[in-house]
Amino acid sequence: MSILGLKKKQPKTFKVKVITMDAEMEFSCEVKWKGKDLFDLVCRTVGLRETWFFGLRYTVKDTYAWLKPEKRVLDQEVPKDSPITFHFLAKFFPEKVEEELVQEITQHLFFLQVKKQILDEEIFCSPEASVLLASYAVQAKYGDYDPNFHKPGFLAQDELLPKRVLMQYQMTADMWEEKITAWYAEHRGIARDEAEMEYLKIAQDLEMYGVSYFAITQNKRDTDLLLGVDAQGLHIYSPSSKLNPNRSFPWSDIRNISYSEKEFTIKPLDKKKDVFKFYSSQLRVNKLILQLCIGNHDLFMRRRKVDSIEVQQMKAQAKEEKARKKMERQILAREKQMREEAERAKEEMERRLFQLQDEARLANEALLRSEETADLLAEKAQIAEEEAKLLAHKAAEAEQERQRLEVTAMKTKEEKRLMEQKMREAEQLAVKLVEQSERRLKEADHLKQDLTEAKDAERRAKQKLLEITKTTYPANFMLIRGGYSSSRLDFKDSDMKRLSMEIERERLEYMEKSKNLQDQLKELKSEIESLKLEEQQQQAGLYIHHECTFLHTDFLCLVLQRNSAYMSQMAFFEEV
């Protein structure tokens, strides 16, 4: 067996993991691929055409490096991990983002990278600018502000401000959110790409934007300095301040840049000016500085030339794309406005529908009540009709009763006339009885007076006789008294008998007449009672009943008074 057969078979591919600002991708690369092959694959995958701004960065020990396009990937100092990790980042920054960044994807990648550098405090930003940038970031992420949708606390999970800014002021997260939302509400109508572009336009004015810093020392004095490389040139800073450079070398003033080992030389275009030399800690850092200087200088010179055909086409396409998107946004805005109006109209119609439904419900309830009322009224009408029929029947009966009462009234009138006649006769009879009673009373009074006079005469005679007897004729007193008394008694007895007979005869006559009157009164009472029973509910009958009753009562009272008076007189005479 040969030694070659014992060697392991080398793999033809290797795994690569590329991390962009918003995604991670894995590729299977051939061993012979150069850095340009992998870079082009990533750009095609992302859809990026402005490739001159970007590069693939990897970590080497305690620093970083950019993948060189002309060398094979595996021949460079890439990590030996599997998969090999690269970061797809912006290597060079434009001077004016609005003019140089053409594609929307390019703007988006720059926006994400600059935003991360600001939040990581790699780029210094004041609190005011941080709040404004955060409002544009929120606009790019959430679109137009809607108070009904974006409730308080909707930014709680978003990292929008550097920690340095948050620690600088004693403000709560809700207070920061309120400030950001106040600016965010004013960005209404700005699309995502426009919001990102506004973010970059503010960020490009920051002092540390697009600057790559390296630690250097100046020759012979070993003073620590910082070298800054950006799109405009080289800058020398003191370690304590990265904002204001101590010295700057614009690309237009630099004639040549070179390095030898750790020494780096900047030759000004003006030969009268001194050459600036500095030292870096590693050779790898000098290579990186030189690489960044060459790339930034090339882009600096490129900006001052006429755009290439490719760039002109890209700008034309981008312009058309922006015009198309602007038109689409306008159409979308109109559609959105129309939809909002339609929704408002719908809400109004729904409100009106609910109102009409309520009105219809109330109308139905009113209709039901009306129907119930109508049924009730119909029932009442039926009852009223029945009552009307009953009343008509009763009216007919009342009419018959009226006719009968008229006939009865006619009979009653005749009976009343006869009754009145009888009453008049009874009154006449009563008057006669009263007159006789008065006459008898007068006679009784006369008799009583005569009797009283006779008693008085008798008493006087007795007194006189007694006086005479005592004085003149004492012997014959008893004889005379006896004879006189006998004659006087005879006279008294004969007169009293005669008077008693007359009184008895008159009493018998009066009793006979009273009995006849009582019989007549009883007959009249029975007739009145029969009329009362027959005509109890008739007015004429009631009137006659009351009138006859009153007359009968008065008459009976009068007769009884007269009778009692007469009977008392008779009793007096009987006593006498």
Side-chain angles (χ1 to χ4, degrees):
M1 184 180 294
S2 63
I3 297 176
L4 294 175
L6 295 174
K7 293 182 178 180
K8 292 183 179 180
K9 190 175 181 179
Q10 294 293 331
K12 294 182 180 181
T13 60
F14 61 95
K15 298 293 183 182
V16 172
K17 178 181 179 181
V18 178
I19 301 174
T20 65
M21 293 306 301
D22 58 353
E24 292 184 3
M25 299 173 288
E26 289 191 3
F27 301 99
S28 179
C29 304
E30 296 180 7
V31 176
K32 62 180 180 180
W33 273 15
K34 295 181 180 181
K36 186 177 184 303
D37 298 326
L38 178 59
F39 182 74
D40 292 341
L41 176 62
V42 175
C43 290
R44 287 195 303 269
T45 304
V46 175
L48 181 67
R49 296 180 63 184
E50 297 174 274
T51 58
W52 49 87
F53 291 112
F54 295 89
L56 292 172
R57 195 178 76 174
Y58 58 92
T59 303
V60 180
K61 295 181 181 180
D62 56 348
T63 184
Y64 66 89
W66 295 93
L67 187 66
K68 296 177 182 179
E70 68 278 358
K71 291 180 64 175
R72 289 173 58 180
V73 175
L74 296 179
D75 291 343
Q76 302 183 46
E77 296 180 327
V78 296
K80 303 303 180 183
D81 302 332
S82 181
I84 303 172
T85 302
F86 294 96
H87 291 270
F88 186 78
L89 298 171
K91 185 178 181 181
F92 308 105
F93 288 80
E95 293 183 39
K96 296 181 180 180
V97 292
E98 191 174 13
E99 295 179 2
E100 297 183 46
L101 300 182
V102 179
Q103 282 187 290
E104 185 177 341
I105 182 62
T106 309
Q107 298 176 11
H108 184 60
L109 292 174
F110 266 98
F111 163 74
L112 295 177
Q113 185 170 339
V114 172
K115 176 185 172 186
K116 186 176 185 305
Q117 289 177 338
I118 291 175
L119 295 177
D120 294 342
E121 300 184 17
E122 295 177 9
I123 298 176
F124 177 83
C125 184
S126 64
E128 295 79 6
S130 298
V131 173
L132 181 58
L133 290 174
S135 66
Y136 280 110
V138 173
Q139 178 70 22
K141 181 177 181 179
Y142 293 100
D144 291 340
Y145 173 70
D146 186 355
N148 297 323
F149 179 76
H150 301 110
K151 301 294 184 181
F154 76 104
L155 299 178
Q157 303 301 323
D158 294 325
E159 185 181 3
L160 299 171
L161 298 172
K163 291 183 175 58
R164 174 184 52 79
V165 175
L166 295 175
M167 298 296 293
Q168 186 176 353
Y169 296 93
Q170 294 179 352
M171 294 176 62
T172 62
D174 294 337
M175 297 170 67
W176 285 114
E177 180 179 320
E178 184 179 355
K179 281 186 171 294
I180 293 172
T181 305
W183 283 99
Y184 167 46
E186 297 184 2
H187 303 330
R188 185 175 184 83
I190 299 179
R192 192 198 75 170
D193 57 335
E194 294 177 346
E196 292 178 350
M197 180 56 69
E198 292 296 328
Y199 188 100
L200 292 174
K201 285 165 66 175
I202 296 172
Q204 73 179 355
D205 294 331
L206 300 177
E207 289 80 358
M208 297 176 66
Y209 164 80
V211 181
S212 299
Y213 294 93
F214 301 94
I216 61 173
T217 57
Q218 200 169 4
N219 59 341
K220 295 181 181 180
R221 284 184 290 179
D222 199 22
T223 304
D224 291 335
L225 297 173
L226 290 176
L227 174 67
V229 184
D230 63 7
Q232 296 179 353
L234 299 175
H235 310 281
I236 307 300
Y237 300 88
S238 62
S240 61
S241 176
K242 293 182 179 181
L243 300 178
N244 300 314
N246 298 331
R247 186 175 180 182
S248 296
F249 300 93
W251 296 121
S252 58
D253 295 342
I254 297 176
R255 177 166 55 92
N256 186 21
I257 298 174
S258 62
Y259 75 93
S260 174
E261 293 295 333
K262 297 181 180 181
E263 183 184 52
F264 206 96
T265 303
I266 301 174
K267 295 180 180 180
L269 188 60
D270 188 359
K271 294 180 180 181
K272 295 180 181 180
K273 291 183 178 180
D274 297 333
V275 176
F276 183 81
K277 292 182 181 182
F278 59 87
Y279 296 89
S280 64
S281 60
Q282 299 177 10
L283 178 61
R284 186 184 297 109
V285 174
N286 284 340
K287 291 181 180 180
L288 179 58
I289 293 173
L290 182 61
Q291 189 179 3
L292 290 176
C293 290
I294 293 172
N296 278 300
H297 184 268
D298 290 342
L299 288 176
F300 178 80
M301 299 304 294
R302 182 176 178 175
R303 293 185 193 104
R304 281 138 185 90
K305 295 180 182 179
V306 179
D307 293 333
S308 63
I309 301 299
E310 182 183 4
V311 175
Q312 291 179 8
Q313 290 177 352
M314 288 172 55
K315 287 186 177 181
Q317 291 176 0
K319 187 176 180 179
E320 292 176 0
E321 185 69 15
K322 287 183 179 180
R324 183 182 62 80
K325 287 187 176 181
K326 185 177 180 181
M327 183 66 68
E328 289 179 354
R329 284 197 296 268
Q330 291 177 353
I331 295 173
L332 182 62
R334 287 197 297 271
E335 291 179 352
K336 185 178 181 180
Q337 183 179 1
M338 293 174 64
R339 184 173 66 252
E340 290 177 352
E341 292 177 355
E343 289 177 355
R344 287 195 294 270
K346 180 182 176 182
E347 292 176 356
E348 180 65 22
M349 292 179 67
E350 289 178 351
R351 187 187 63 79
R352 181 60 180 166
L353 177 61
F354 291 151
Q355 183 179 0
L356 291 175
Q357 287 177 351
D358 292 338
E359 292 177 358
R361 180 177 57 79
L362 295 175
N364 288 330
E365 293 176 357
L367 180 61
L368 291 175
R369 289 196 297 271
S370 299
E371 291 177 353
E372 293 176 356
T373 305
D375 294 338
L376 183 61
L377 291 175
E379 185 178 355
K380 288 184 178 180
Q382 184 178 1
I383 295 173
E385 185 178 357
E386 293 177 357
E387 291 178 353
K389 290 180 180 180
L390 182 61
L391 290 174
H393 180 68
K394 288 183 177 181
E397 291 180 353
E399 181 65 22
Q400 294 177 0
E401 185 68 17
R402 186 185 65 78
Q403 293 177 359
R404 187 181 66 79
L405 289 175
E406 286 181 355
V407 175
T408 305
M410 293 176 65
K411 294 180 180 180
T412 304
K413 287 180 180 180
E414 182 65 23
E415 292 176 355
K416 181 180 179 182
R417 186 182 61 79
L418 295 175
M419 188 64 63
E420 289 176 352
Q421 183 178 358
K422 290 182 179 181
M423 288 175 63
R424 284 194 297 272
E425 292 177 356
E427 288 176 357
Q428 291 176 0
L429 180 60
V431 169
K432 290 180 180 181
L433 290 175
V434 169
E435 291 178 353
Q436 289 181 3
S437 296
E438 291 178 353
R439 182 167 49 83
R440 295 297 181 184
L441 286 173
K442 290 180 180 180
E443 290 178 357
D445 291 338
H446 288 300
L447 289 175
K448 187 177 180 180
Q449 186 177 1
D450 293 339
L451 181 60
T452 302
E453 291 177 356
K455 284 183 177 182
D456 292 337
E458 181 182 1
R459 189 179 62 256
R460 288 192 303 269
K462 283 182 180 182
Q463 186 69 28
K464 191 175 182 179
L465 181 61
L466 183 59
E467 292 177 355
I468 296 173
T469 302
K470 286 180 178 181
T471 56
T472 310
Y473 305 103
N476 297 325
F477 173 74
M478 294 298 298
L479 181 63
I480 295 170
R481 183 181 177 183
Y484 178 80
S485 298
S486 177
S487 63
R488 183 64 181 173
L489 288 173
D490 290 338
F491 173 79
K492 181 180 179 180
D493 291 337
S494 61
D495 291 335
M496 290 298 296
K497 287 180 180 181
R498 180 178 55 82
L499 182 61
S500 298
M501 289 179 65
E502 290 180 358
I503 290 171
E504 183 67 19
R505 179 175 55 78
E506 289 180 356
R507 187 178 66 81
L508 292 175
E509 291 179 358
Y510 183 79
M511 291 297 293
E512 184 68 21
K513 291 181 180 180
S514 297
K515 184 178 181 181
N516 294 331
L517 181 60
Q518 290 288 336
D519 293 337
Q520 291 180 1
L521 291 174
K522 287 181 179 179
E523 183 180 357
L524 180 61
K525 183 178 180 181
S526 63
E527 290 179 359
I528 291 172
E529 290 294 331
S530 63
L531 288 175
K532 178 181 178 182
L533 292 175
E534 290 178 359
E535 306 298 334
Q536 189 174 3
Q537 295 180 355
Q538 299 178 11
Q539 186 68 26
L542 290 174
Y543 175 77
I544 294 171
H545 167 70
H546 288 298
E547 184 178 3
C548 293
T549 302
F550 292 152
L551 291 174
H552 175 253
T553 303
D554 294 340
F555 179 71
L556 286 177
C557 291
L558 180 62
V559 171
L560 289 175
Q561 289 176 358
R562 297 298 184 181
N563 190 17
S564 61
Y566 183 74
M567 292 300 294
S568 62
Q569 290 180 357
M570 292 296 104
F572 173 76
F573 284 118
E574 287 178 356
E575 181 182 359
V576 174

